[in-house]
Amino acid sequence: MMGRTIFIDPGRCIGCQACVSACRECDSHRGKSMIHLDYTDEGQSVASLPTVCMHCEDPVAPCAEVCPADAILITADGVVQQADTTRCIGCANCVNACPFGVPKIDLQAKLQMKCNLCYDRTAYGLAPMCATVCPTGALFYGTIEELRAERPGVQVADTFVFGETEVRTGVAMVVPAEKVQWPVPGGLPVVEINGKDVRR
Amino acid sequence: MTADTPAADRRTVIPLDPSLAPPGTRGFRDAGGIPADQWHADQNGETLVPTHCCFCGVQCGMYLRVDRGGKVFGVEPRNHDINRMRLCPKGINAYQQVNHPDRLTAPLMRRSRDEDFQEVSWDEALDFTVSEIKRIQLAHGNDAFGLLGGASLFSEKTYLVGKFARVALKSRHVDYNGRLCMVSAAGANKLAFGIDRAGNPFSDILLTDCLLIAGSNLGECFPVMTQYVWGARDRGASLIVVDPRETAIARTADIHVALKPGTDSAFFNSVLHVVVEEGLTDTAYLAAHTTGWDEVRAKAAEYPPARAAEICGIPAEQIVQVARTFARAPKAMAWHARGIEHHSQGVENCLSVINLCAATGHIGKPGAGYGTITGQGNGQGGREHGQKSDLLPGGRSIMNEEHRRQICEIWGIEEAELPPAGTSMMEMVWQMQRREIRGLIGICNNPFVSLPNYQVVKEGYDATEFHAQFDFFLSETAANAHVVFPVTTWAEDEGVMANAEARVVKHNKAQDPPPGVRTDTWVMCELARRLGAGDKFAFADSREVFDELRIASAGTVNDYYGITYERLEETGGIVWPCPSTDHPGTPRLFEDGKTYHPDGKIHMQAVEWHVPMDPYDDEHPMSLTTGRTVAHFLSGNQTRRLGALVEQTPRPWAEIHPSHGFRNGEPVRVVTRRGSEVFPALVTEAIRPDTVFIPYHWPVPTAANALTIDALDPRSKIPEYKVCACRIEHAAAIDEVPAPPVAPGHVAYPETQVSRTDPLPPTAPQGRGTSERS
């Protein structure tokens, strides 16, 4: 994970969408929110979970790897920027490549958009908009030491496994201390596509 | 700044921590360099104005971003003591009201309700209003004209509302919409402690070992308070939530007591019973600091867990568990909100919580105490300075000879001229129905959505001969008026509010009002002048009103005398009582073990539970309860116009348990004795099977308050919003689900389009979605 980064704690999320609203207020993409807020267990629980860009480290950002136009650039401090508008061709390769389902395509503008860790803020040492306003601290911005100082005994994970691929991310997840699985299972394996068993 | 600076331009520079210099200002660009000066424009001409949110009782600090043209165009988090940069979606989007296309910019007038509104000049609207007041009062007496205020007004304006009614209108009939919000807690606090406010600041939550939250959907209605809850839990504190629904804050609680609506006092009595049985009371504290303990203990003995479990519909073990957790904690706190207050036994419910805190000695210590969370931004301050029908400024009683004399002296009137106590908001509506009140001015309220039993409210308002309303949007209530005065939003005027901790904070002016818009203060003073009381209302701005308010509250329990605008700007908020300008304020009450009663003790009162006013029968076997959702605020007049919030929660729904056999999104008809309405079902296991929940922010035909009962608590006169008998039926067709009325200026996001071709109506995106297990 990066030095100062976002830690996502789904246990604290109350689904209020303050992060979604705050993301719209960010000057780099005003009016459009880059956060996905999912209700994971609808009907049984009010549990919810915000997804921001995970700023993958290894393999280096899958979205950037598959970009045919080299539009997705990564800064020296590990932040995966949103597509450079002068290069992006709106092909949506990055949308398909991202294991977390983060990037979006603005169909009208034919441009990719995604969270860039509020680079206009974090470059100056401020927290991103979402983590600044999050009322519960489900989105926390800082170093792992700062997080541990605030929340004694907290466990975090930054490695997720998708099928046979492990992805190490710059953004980390808080995981239940008593049920640590390493790496964190990041998605259900694909079993069938169009009725065909694709496991072999 | 000199004394002859126009009031509108008095802006104070507040030094800012450079590490938090906001983007867009020079300090941000020179991060770590020169501290940013909010009032000083950067190269782009942007300034930041420190103020607070206009919505709930947490009163989060925020900056409003103001562009080169002096217009508010955005929001920036502010590191204020209350919220420490945090905001909720309402606060983030609040600025969008200020320059919204729906803003009223000229007085609207019509001579009868059959005509359409015409835009008229201020003189014409004021003259017509004054002539109608005089006509009605001459024919039917002074008390035939009423005034209804609001708790989202600055304290200065609430002071003026009370003074205007009694000095200019000379009418006893003044009340405010905090009557629908806080008065049960206020009544209980007054009875038990002799002072009406929360006993502890929010920061005490961080120190507690056990937090009990009763009847509050904290995660949706006061989201920013959850950071304190989590701060306590990170230290290992336990969390108990009492709520019929598994809300976001209840989801991860240590104990979630999902009791039946309207049974709170039986539950708390039973918890107290277990505390006594197991010898967990703080006998030393009870002996030294309370009266009435013997009666309370005798009453609690009538509520063994087995009996209460049956009344509340919960396992008896849970009651024992709550009692042990709360009483054994070294420091425990109880916070409650509308969930236990909106009842015909609201005062008793609050008293039963106070009894529990007092019996366990959890009062007036760091991390131990009792608090009530105010719903409206100025829910606390709004009831302190004479807006309430039975109170005068400084929390004085209007029936107390001595108090009357003091206020008459300050106001410069004869005591005989000061009217006696009036009636409560709902009672005033009944009086309108009976034509005892024939004229009304409403300021900052929207009873057509927020009062229970809409039919009665509509009849009452329709029966008035004259009705004027102050608002900045044409609310459902304003649309029924004869005259609508376009007034300022919170960002166009300065003033103070008191939050749930009784911390007085100052809101600053961020932009000039649009042309044609005046402040509420100006309109009230101008009406008073035309009514012949101009000498008592010679106020130029909020600052002058506040100076009189300070003097009027000096020496009372609600002492504001030591609070000045300058001090508020320097400190970021002062908690009353603050008797002198060098007094730091009183964040925590009862630290010396003394209450504000003459004997200094907590007056405990025995509480008897009784069934809710709307009886259950075979026709109506279920409980209907109402509440709020995170994206909207009260009557929705402000939030239902803001695109982001409408997108988040576009419509109300009826939340029901899967056991009733509804599919998610299916139309469900909710029937009570007042009427029936159709909502999309939101099927979820997060609600009791015998309970239906509907959020109340929308007007008819999707109004929860068309179904609720207008039964009142006999002491506090709060309506019983939180429980009435109902049944649910399958509606015949999807077309029966009405779309909620959309405000004309509502700007939708392009991707938000509700398709009516879907087989089922959309539900609210609240994450309580479908329960269809595959």
Side-chain angles (χ1 to χ4, degrees):
Chain A
M1 75 188 81
M2 296 181 281
R4 286 179 74 78
T5 184
I6 291 185
F7 294 90
I8 305 173
D9 185 349
R12 297 184 183 227
C13 182
I14 50 176
C16 74
Q17 302 199 29
C19 52
V20 176
S21 272
C23 194
R24 280 197 196 98
E25 295 302 317
C26 187
D27 278 340
S28 55
H29 46 77
R30 204 156 169 172
K32 287 204 182 291
S33 177
M34 298 294 120
I35 292 197
H36 304 262
L37 192 86
D38 298 301
Y39 298 99
T40 51
D41 196 8
E42 290 191 287
Q44 281 82 59
S45 163
V46 294
S48 51
L49 156 74
T51 302
V52 296
C53 176
M54 302 295 283
H55 299 283
C56 300
E57 289 178 348
D58 178 28
V60 70
C63 57
E65 283 192 329
V66 300
C67 179
D70 271 352
I72 301 174
L73 305 173
I74 301 165
T75 58
D77 48 1
V79 175
V80 182
Q81 298 289 344
Q82 71 175 27
D84 179 336
T85 51
T86 60
R87 298 181 178 188
C88 176
I89 55 173
C91 71
N93 262 8
C94 50
V95 175
N96 296 320
C98 176
F100 300 98
V102 167
K104 303 175 174 184
I105 298 287
D106 180 339
L107 291 171
Q108 277 179 311
K110 294 195 174 61
L111 288 174
Q112 180 250 34
M113 304 183 83
K114 78 167 188 67
C115 150
N116 58 3
L117 204 73
C118 277
Y119 210 63
D120 60 334
R121 291 170 172 268
T122 47
Y124 286 100
L126 288 163
M129 242 337 189
C130 59
T132 303
V133 303
C134 177
T136 58
L139 291 164
F140 175 94
Y141 181 77
T143 62
I144 182 73
E145 291 75 26
E146 287 167 357
L147 180 78
R148 292 216 164 106
E150 199 174 292
R151 306 178 191 175
V154 69
Q155 287 281 352
V156 302
D158 66 349
T159 310
F160 303 84
V161 65
F162 297 89
E164 289 165 17
T165 312
E166 267 193 25
V167 180
R168 203 155 54 77
T169 58
V171 168
M173 280 279 217
V174 173
V175 289
E178 66 278 11
K179 295 188 219 169
V180 176
Q181 273 187 301
W182 197 273
V184 176
L188 296 173
V190 176
V191 176
E192 66 174 44
I193 295 178
N194 296 340
K196 268 195 185 154
D197 193 332
V198 293
R199 277 175 293 185
R200 271 156 284 138
Chain B
M1 195 167 78
T2 57
D4 56 1
T5 316
D9 291 324
R10 280 193 202 142
R11 290 173 162 185
T12 316
V13 174
I14 300 170
L16 187 78
D17 177 354
S19 64
L20 298 165
T25 58
R26 236 180 268 161
F28 176 75
R29 295 211 181 78
D30 312 339
I34 312 152
D37 154 8
Q38 297 110 287
W39 298 108
H40 199 288
D42 72 345
Q43 290 91 324
N44 300 324
E46 182 185 332
T47 50
L48 292 172
V49 177
T51 186
H52 292 261
C53 179
C54 59
F55 291 128
C56 83
V58 180
Q59 284 297 291
C60 302
M62 56 163 64
Y63 292 112
L64 288 173
R65 300 171 68 184
V66 181
D67 67 15
R68 188 193 307 249
K71 291 271 180 240
V72 169
F73 76 98
V75 66
E76 183 65 40
R78 175 182 173 195
N79 195 22
H80 190 273
D81 285 352
I82 296 171
N83 58 317
R84 296 177 292 188
M85 311 282 273
R86 312 280 196 258
L87 289 170
C88 85
K90 289 190 290 285
I92 294 164
N93 292 296
Y95 75 90
Q96 295 168 17
Q97 304 166 67
V98 181
N99 295 305
H100 193 283
D102 275 7
R103 281 292 298 273
L104 300 172
T105 52
L108 302 175
M109 191 177 119
R110 57 186 177 187
R111 293 192 180 265
S112 88
R113 289 194 174 92
D114 313 328
E115 301 167 16
D116 287 338
F117 280 122
Q118 304 295 327
E119 291 198 354
V120 296
S121 71
W122 273 95
D123 271 337
E124 196 177 345
L126 290 164
D127 286 338
F128 178 57
T129 304
V130 168
S131 69
E132 285 293 289
I133 294 172
K134 285 180 173 163
R135 180 183 67 76
I136 288 170
Q137 290 195 326
L138 201 65
H140 307 283
N142 284 353
D143 291 344
F145 207 95
L147 184 62
L148 281 173
S152 294
L153 292 164
F154 295 148
S155 295
E156 295 86 345
K157 294 174 181 180
T158 66
Y159 172 84
L160 270 188
V161 168
K163 186 175 178 182
F164 180 83
R166 284 146 185 159
V167 176
L169 285 179
K170 300 186 172 67
S171 165
R172 65 193 288 188
H173 286 308
V174 56
D175 205 38
Y176 78 128
N177 62 8
R179 185 67 73 175
L180 322 176
C181 164
M182 281 299 308
V183 284
S184 291
N189 292 347
K190 231 21 199 178
L191 283 168
F193 301 118
I195 183 171
D196 165 21
R197 57 160 271 207
N200 300 59
F202 292 154
S203 53
D204 267 13
I205 298 175
L206 297 170
L207 311 173
T208 193
D209 301 305
C210 172
L211 182 65
L212 176 98
I213 297 173
S216 173
N217 181 359
L218 201 80
E220 290 199 64
C221 306
F222 315 100
V224 175
M225 271 186 78
T226 55
Q227 66 173 313
Y228 292 100
V229 176
W230 278 105
R233 299 187 74 186
D234 286 336
R235 285 182 42 260
S238 45
L239 172 66
I240 304 168
V241 176
V242 181
D243 198 315
R245 303 158 71 216
E246 187 198 83
T247 56
I249 197 76
R251 178 172 71 86
T252 54
D254 298 289
I255 309 172
H256 170 216
V257 183
L259 46 60
K260 196 176 158 74
T263 61
D264 309 272
S265 55
F267 170 76
F268 285 110
N269 269 347
S270 187
V271 172
L272 191 57
H273 171 92
V274 177
V275 169
V276 174
E277 286 290 294
E278 307 208 345
L280 299 170
T281 51
D282 187 337
T283 42
Y285 186 88
L286 283 166
H289 300 297
T290 67
T291 61
W293 168 235
D294 292 340
E295 293 79 21
V296 171
R297 190 177 47 194
K299 188 50 75 180
E302 297 171 22
Y303 290 85
R307 182 190 166 200
E310 200 171 316
I311 293 172
C312 307
I314 52 173
E317 302 77 65
Q318 234 180 10
I319 297 173
V320 178
Q321 210 185 347
V322 170
R324 288 176 184 167
T325 311
F326 190 83
R328 284 180 183 163
K331 299 189 292 288
M333 266 186 122
W335 285 84
H336 62 74
R338 307 299 82 71
I340 69 167
E341 295 160 20
H342 275 165
H343 288 283
S344 56
Q345 47 198 333
V347 177
E348 283 100 329
N349 288 342
C350 300
L351 285 169
S352 65
V353 179
I354 293 171
N355 289 344
L356 178 62
C357 291
T360 48
H362 293 311
I363 295 275
K365 299 169 197 156
Y370 161 89
T372 174
I373 313 163
T374 49
Q376 295 187 71
N378 205 15
Q380 179 67 48
R383 65 181 189 271
E384 293 167 2
H385 299 293
Q387 236 192 155
K388 216 170 148 196
S389 60
D390 54 346
L391 290 185
L392 289 170
R396 291 179 175 90
S397 165
I398 199 161
M399 303 315 275
N400 177 313
E401 289 293 321
E402 179 61 17
H403 290 177
R404 286 171 68 87
R405 207 180 43 70
Q406 290 165 348
I407 286 295
C408 289
E409 206 168 302
I410 291 164
W411 284 351
I413 57 172
E414 293 299 316
E415 203 196 317
E417 290 178 64
L418 187 64
T423 53
S424 76
M425 190 164 178
M426 195 69 220
E427 289 168 321
M428 278 171 71
V429 171
W430 295 339
Q431 285 172 298
M432 291 189 237
Q433 256 188 312
R434 298 196 298 264
R435 303 183 66 78
E436 288 168 25
I437 294 179
R438 290 168 178 257
L440 180 84
I441 295 178
I443 303 174
C444 176
N445 54 36
N446 190 8
F448 273 47
V449 181
S450 56
L451 273 177
N453 202 350
Y454 167 78
Q455 283 308 328
V456 169
V457 179
K458 175 120 178 66
E459 275 173 35
Y461 271 80
D462 280 344
T464 52
E465 294 169 23
F466 176 79
H467 168 207
Q469 195 74 20
F470 291 27
D471 214 323
F472 46 84
F473 292 135
L474 192 68
S475 69
E476 289 74 16
T477 310
N480 182 275
H482 293 91
V483 175
V484 185
F485 293 111
V487 287
T488 44
T489 62
W490 99 110
E492 291 152 356
D493 198 2
E494 62 177 358
V496 304
M497 287 198 186
N499 81 340
E501 318 162 90
R503 181 201 299 253
V504 181
V505 295
K506 180 166 179 283
H507 292 242
N508 291 309
K509 179 177 170 169
Q511 75 165 47
D512 287 328
V517 171
R518 305 276 199 277
T519 65
D520 312 74
T521 308
W522 184 89
V523 185
M524 276 189 270
C525 293
E526 192 58 22
L527 282 172
R529 193 177 64 78
R530 290 167 199 240
L531 285 165
D535 57 321
K536 313 274 193 298
F537 289 85
F539 300 110
D541 57 18
S542 295
R543 194 175 285 261
E544 294 180 8
V545 183
F546 188 68
D547 284 340
E548 187 174 305
L549 185 157
R550 284 175 55 215
I551 294 162
S553 71
T556 65
V557 171
N558 306 45
D559 200 331
Y560 276 47
Y561 186 72
I563 302 174
T564 64
Y565 276 11
E566 289 71 22
R567 285 192 74 196
L568 290 174
E569 283 160 359
E570 281 161 25
T571 57
I574 298 171
V575 186
W576 65 261
C578 175
S580 63
T581 46
D582 55 0
H583 189 285
T586 319
R588 190 180 303 114
L589 294 176
F590 323 127
E591 285 201 89
D592 53 358
K594 288 207 173 2
T595 65
Y596 285 73
H597 284 305
D599 61 2
K601 305 221 167 159
I602 300 174
H603 293 190
M604 296 173 83
Q605 324 254 341
V607 171
E608 181 76 87
W609 172 79
H610 61 77
V611 290
M613 298 295 248
D614 202 25
Y616 300 107
D617 57 21
D618 294 346
E619 290 279 286
H620 307 90
M622 297 173 69
S623 311
L624 169 66
T625 189
T626 63
R628 285 158 49 182
T629 169
V630 66
H632 291 293
F633 188 66
L634 305 187
S635 79
N637 186 34
Q638 292 155 281
T639 52
R640 278 186 284 111
R641 287 180 160 80
L642 309 183
L645 299 176
V646 175
E647 184 184 341
Q648 189 173 335
T649 307
R651 57 191 306 141
W653 64 90
E655 202 164 305
I656 52 176
H657 194 266
S659 58
H660 300 292
F662 282 82
R663 277 193 305 154
N664 202 45
E666 250 184 310
V668 52
R669 177 178 293 280
V670 182
V671 185
T672 69
R673 294 184 177 88
R674 269 71 52 200
S676 79
E677 282 182 338
V678 181
F679 299 89
L682 209 156
V683 182
T684 174
E685 291 174 9
I687 190 165
R688 285 177 61 93
D690 59 8
T691 304
V692 182
F693 169 85
I694 302 171
Y696 69 80
H697 310 284
W698 287 265
V700 283
T702 54
N705 278 330
L707 309 173
T708 47
I709 185 170
D710 51 347
L712 304 183
D713 181 304
R715 279 192 279 195
S716 69
K717 310 290 186 192
I718 202 168
E720 188 151 52
Y721 289 103
K722 286 289 183 277
V723 55
C724 65
C726 76
R727 71 169 179 272
I728 54 174
E729 301 170 349
H730 281 274
I734 284 174
D735 296 346
E736 283 196 68
V737 179
V742 176
H746 157 64
V747 186
Y749 282 80
E751 58 264 33
T752 313
Q753 278 165 2
V754 176
S755 159
R756 299 292 293 168
T757 57
D758 291 348
L760 296 171
T763 56
Q766 290 297 307
R768 296 193 175 84
T770 173
S771 74
E772 292 172 68
R773 287 207 179 95
S774 47

